[in-house]
Amino acid sequence: MNQHTQHTIHTSISNIREHGYTIIEEFLSPQQLVAVRKFLDRRNEEYQGRNNFEGSKTERIYALLSQDQLFQDIVEDQRMMAVCDAFLEPNYLLTTSQAICIHPGETPQPWHSDDAFYGIPRPRNAAMSTIIAIDDFCAENGGTELIPGSHQWTDQEIGGDYRFGESESDPDFAERVAHKSIAVEMPAGACVIFSGGTLHRGGRNTSTGTRRALSNQYCQPWARTIENFYLTIPREEVLKMSPRIQALLGYSVHAPFMGQVSGSHPLKTLNPEFVPSVYRGN
Ligand SMILES: O=C(O)CCC(=O)C(=O)O
């Protein structure tokens, strides 16, 4: 790792500690950016959101890393792994890997934090999120909005459980945070990394173009993941992935025995001959 990368990681970690987020410019190489765009251009109308949280004019592709090695490389980017190493316990997991394409006319997403699934009092340290710009992000095209410093807010300070849209029913909340929030304006290829506790939302898209992004999120090794990768990614595909990606998908043991499979290490299940002991004999 060169000195520039080390400096980027160091700055990112201290920004996240202090402000709840950081931006890494040129997170994707120009080649990666071109390849991601090419992939997304081929995949229109993949999955239209079913509610205001997913976004009725927002297209999402879940389990994105299973689609191409390109996305696996981005998931295990060394800068992001170093940031996760600083905030999460060893054996942390990938909790979701998705493309989020916000089309023109989309309304703002409800304010939320990505760690709201975990019923631990705030401020908590359960997850880390990334949003990587595939198009330039601005306030008009649905660029992510976030509230700096909100990773430190307690449940009382928030005044509600803003999990999947509850903030919409509380106009006071939007009013209280309006002057505290910022629109993340960043060029294509840049990445905003934020604490799972940082309040944020996908912005309103009043422009004529689609705002495309990737979002990889990571959680503590003891937390349930948003996406159930054991069921979405066939084991023969997992077998082809790097050891790091396999561990991030849950083919790892969080000491002393979380994640075991009938008493065996989950990596053993990648052997096509593996049969869980529960099926043997009886
Ligand atoms: O697309 C964005 O900018 C934010 C999306 C988001 O926060 C989410 O779907 O959880």
Side-chain angles (χ1 to χ4, degrees):
M1 192 184 292
N2 65 31
Q3 260 191 334
H4 174 70
T5 307
Q6 278 175 14
H7 177 72
T8 302
I9 292 167
H10 181 78
T11 311
S12 299
I13 292 169
S14 69
N15 281 345
I16 296 168
R17 286 221 167 92
E18 190 175 346
H19 307 294
Y21 78 103
T22 196
I23 294 172
I24 301 184
E25 303 235 346
E26 296 173 6
F27 185 78
L28 298 185
S29 68
Q31 294 80 359
Q32 283 177 317
L33 185 57
V34 168
V36 172
R37 284 179 168 164
K38 214 160 142 191
F39 174 90
L40 293 177
D41 286 346
R42 291 199 309 265
R43 303 291 298 260
N44 273 337
E45 308 290 317
E46 177 79 7
Y47 177 88
Q48 223 56 40
R50 294 159 293 187
N51 49 51
N52 199 28
F53 186 86
E54 282 186 315
S56 56
K57 292 196 171 70
T58 297
E59 182 193 338
R60 288 175 189 255
I61 306 172
Y62 290 115
L64 186 65
L65 85 163
S66 64
Q67 303 272 346
D68 199 292
Q69 160 97 45
L70 165 70
F71 300 111
Q72 293 158 36
D73 293 344
I74 298 169
V75 164
E76 62 173 334
D77 178 279
Q78 63 172 339
R79 293 157 296 181
M80 192 53 208
M81 294 295 91
V83 169
C84 285
D85 288 344
F87 288 95
L88 303 175
E89 294 172 35
N91 303 309
Y92 50 81
L93 300 168
L94 183 70
T95 172
T96 184
S97 160
Q98 52 180 292
I100 307 178
C101 304
I102 301 185
H103 294 300
E106 184 59 282
T107 55
Q109 206 187 20
W111 288 105
H112 63 280
S113 69
D114 286 337
D115 68 0
F117 306 97
Y118 309 114
I120 302 166
R122 291 178 56 95
R124 59 190 155 232
N125 179 30
M128 296 299 297
S129 288
T130 64
I131 297 187
I132 303 163
I134 304 304
D135 299 297
D136 292 346
F137 271 30
C138 65
E140 290 75 38
N141 74 350
T144 311
E145 294 170 18
L146 61 76
I147 307 177
S150 57
H151 63 308
Q152 304 284 18
W153 291 4
T154 62
D155 293 302
Q156 289 73 22
E157 279 171 291
I158 292 182
D161 181 7
Y162 297 108
R163 207 176 277 217
F164 307 111
E166 290 86 344
S167 60
E168 277 173 308
S169 55
D170 179 358
D172 285 357
F173 180 78
E175 219 165 273
R176 269 194 289 134
V177 300
H179 65 285
K180 294 183 178 156
S181 68
I182 57 157
V184 176
E185 305 206 89
M186 59 183 182
C191 173
V192 57
I193 306 177
F194 50 98
S195 157
T198 301
L199 289 166
H200 66 283
R201 64 179 182 178
R204 180 193 306 276
N205 189 346
T206 57
S207 77
T208 52
T210 297
R211 186 231 70 179
R212 296 170 298 177
L214 309 183
S215 182
N216 296 316
Q217 301 175 21
Y218 308 80
C219 69
Q220 293 285 19
W222 37 260
R224 183 166 185 179
T225 58
I226 295 172
E227 289 196 68
N228 189 330
F229 292 119
Y230 305 113
L231 295 179
T232 42
I233 310 180
R235 279 184 279 164
E236 55 274 21
E237 292 302 317
V238 177
L239 191 55
K240 296 179 207 155
M241 296 175 178
S242 74
R244 185 90 210 216
I245 293 286
Q246 291 172 346
L248 284 165
L249 291 175
Y251 292 80
S252 56
V253 166
H254 181 50
F257 41 64
M258 273 184 109
Q260 51 106 337
V261 180
S262 297
S264 292
H265 194 287
L267 272 179
K268 290 192 180 162
T269 69
L270 298 182
N271 178 342
E273 314 277 287
F274 180 83
V275 181
S277 64
V278 70
Y279 292 127
R280 277 193 207 123
N282 312 316

